[in-house]
Amino acid sequence: MMRFSVVIPMIFHHLPLAEGLKRANAANMKHVEIMKWYDENLNELKQILDQFKMQVVMLSAKSFQLVDTGQHERFIDGLHEAIAAAKYLNCRNLITLVGNELPHLSRERQRQNIVEALKKGANLLETAEITLHIEPLNIRVDHPKYFLYSSDEG
């Protein structure tokens, strides 16, 4: 059986997240994706999710420049926080961005930096039994400097 999920901030961008969850429930959407959870009251969100028997199927990690080795420590710190939030909200999937291209580094070096950052976080994710997804973005329309723009490269 196919299950659909709704990315709450994309569909209900004009509403507070809690209200977006309530609207998704009213539309019988029980599987949701939440971005920028770190700006929210997780206790309130959990209460709403439990009340409406909704499941968070994807939660954003804190997105940092994985292409930049100087940001890897921040990525790992944010990963710790995202894993804790995911576990609290009974979510087994995180999604992250890799950052904008760095013009002073080759694409190959940036790709290596991304792999290095992901390897640093792999044990944390494996221990938590959480899968981290990497999101390519559209560079032609709204993210012109983003590094990862094709699923082939991802």
Side-chain angles (χ1 to χ4, degrees), residues 94-108:
L94 295 174
I95 192 162
T96 191
L97 303 175
V98 298
N100 290 341
E101 289 182 344
L102 300 175
H104 64 281
L105 293 178
S106 69
R107 281 195 67 79
E108 181 56 33

Side-chain angles (χ1 to χ4, degrees), residues 15-147:
L15 297 172
L17 182 57
E19 184 59 31
L21 288 170
K22 292 174 185 175
R23 297 272 181 103
N25 178 67
N28 203 32
M29 296 298 296
K30 298 296 187 178
H31 299 93
V32 298
E33 300 179 35
I34 298 176
M35 319 317 265
K36 295 187 179 180
W37 52 268
Y38 38 87
D39 292 335
E40 304 293 334
N41 179 329
L42 289 185
N43 293 326
E44 178 186 0
L45 294 181
K46 183 156 179 52
Q47 183 178 31
I48 293 167
L49 293 163
D50 290 346
Q51 176 186 352
F52 296 126
K53 296 179 177 51
M54 298 174 90
Q55 179 183 1
V56 178
V57 295
M58 188 77 73
L59 195 68
S60 68
K62 288 189 167 183
S63 301
F64 293 105
Q65 291 274 40
L66 302 187
V67 294
D68 181 355
T69 57
Q71 298 296 316
H72 288 185
E73 188 175 327
R74 289 181 68 196
F75 168 69
I76 297 301
D77 290 344
L79 200 53
H80 280 285
E81 292 177 51
I83 288 169
K87 289 182 130 196
Y88 182 67
L89 297 175
N90 299 314
C91 176
R92 300 197 55 195
N93 294 286
L94 295 174
I95 192 162
T96 191
L97 303 175
V98 298
N100 290 341
E101 289 182 344
L102 300 175
H104 64 281
L105 293 178
S106 69
R107 281 195 67 79
E108 181 56 33
R109 179 69 251 174
Q110 291 175 82
R111 187 176 303 106
Q112 290 170 0
N113 292 349
I114 293 166
V115 169
E116 198 176 297
L118 295 171
K119 284 181 178 180
K120 289 176 183 176
N123 191 45
L124 295 171
L125 293 157
E126 187 175 335
T127 300
E129 297 181 343
I130 290 178
T131 301
L132 179 66
H133 303 261
I134 302 166
E135 185 170 19
L137 295 177
N138 183 334
I139 61 170
R140 293 186 180 155
V141 177
D142 51 358
H143 302 284
K145 295 180 182 180
Y146 189 68
F147 179 83

